[in-house]
Amino acid sequence: MSNGASNGPRKALGVFLPAVGFFLIVVVFAVMLTQEGRDTSALPSALIGLSAPQTSLPPVPGIVDADGEQVAGFEPAKLSGNISLVNVWASWCAPCREEHPLLMALAKDARLQIIGMNHKDKAENAAQFLSSLGNPYDLIGADINGRASIEWGVYGVPETFLVGPDGTVVFKHTGPLSEEIITQELMPE
């Protein structure tokens, strides 16, 4: 009988210990989420401060420039010596359509080279998208299987990276660009 009496407090401890642990985890998450000044929508990028991935992508067939020439694909060497805005987009992406006028405006800034990474899209759909809305891109690579997007750490489309002249990623934005993001975050970088 003494064994049964001594097991009672152990069983009670075994039942309440996981509940106490769960409660502590909830408290830690609640404190982290309510910290003042913390942007809970920001997604970190492991690439900030590192060299951009050495991603080579073929051109998207059917996308031509103002002279009717095929727009070149994405070559890492093109990042060197330029301030490059790398935008991951797709014709099937509604937020990509939303941010497109802002990309068209940014294309007028001679300081920037805008590179498109067309994510898991059909070439004819991508070409039709740009034909109807305009083409802000200097280069467009076809990321048909999404492998390049994985190398860049993309969560979803659209995403935008700013790459410095030395090839270092200095800024990342997940989601559609807005005028506020461009003026307050992107341009200062």
Side-chain angles (χ1 to χ4, degrees):
M1 265 195 169
S2 64
N3 283 347
S6 65
N7 283 343
R10 285 187 195 164
K11 284 184 181 178
L13 183 61
V15 169
F16 291 111
L17 194 55
V20 169
F22 177 75
F23 177 74
L24 290 174
I25 290 171
V26 168
V27 168
V28 168
F29 279 119
V31 167
M32 289 176 65
L33 287 174
T34 58
Q35 284 178 334
E36 194 170 319
R38 177 177 163 84
D39 182 3
T40 57
S41 66
L43 296 171
S45 175
L47 291 179
I48 302 293
L50 299 177
S51 293
Q54 296 299 297
T55 307
S56 292
L57 294 171
V60 179
I63 297 180
V64 295
D65 62 18
D67 298 326
E69 299 291 322
Q70 172 70 48
V71 175
F74 182 19
E75 291 297 327
K78 298 285 186 176
L79 295 172
S80 182
N82 296 299
I83 297 173
S84 302
L85 192 69
V86 178
N87 179 254
V88 184
W89 67 284
S91 65
W92 47 261
C93 163
C96 296
R97 185 173 294 272
E98 176 186 320
E99 78 173 358
H100 199 80
L102 297 170
L103 291 172
M104 292 298 292
L106 285 170
K108 295 174 184 170
D109 188 333
R111 299 173 295 173
L112 288 176
Q113 165 182 250
I114 302 181
I115 299 172
M117 190 182 305
N118 187 235
H119 179 76
K120 295 184 175 182
D121 207 352
K122 292 182 178 177
E124 58 272 12
N125 294 345
Q128 212 279 307
F129 180 93
L130 295 179
S131 174
S132 66
L133 298 176
N135 182 3
Y137 304 109
D138 298 299
L139 308 167
I140 304 173
D143 187 15
I144 297 166
N145 61 11
R147 182 76 183 150
S149 298
I150 291 170
E151 291 175 18
W152 280 78
V154 171
Y155 290 96
V157 292
E159 284 195 24
T160 304
F161 300 83
L162 185 64
V163 181
D166 63 351
T168 301
V169 177
V170 296
F171 173 81
K172 175 186 178 181
H173 178 73
T174 301
L177 293 171
S178 66
E179 287 185 30
E180 180 181 332
I181 290 163
I182 290 171
T183 58
Q184 294 180 9
E185 297 177 35
L186 176 68
M187 293 314 257
E189 289 293 335

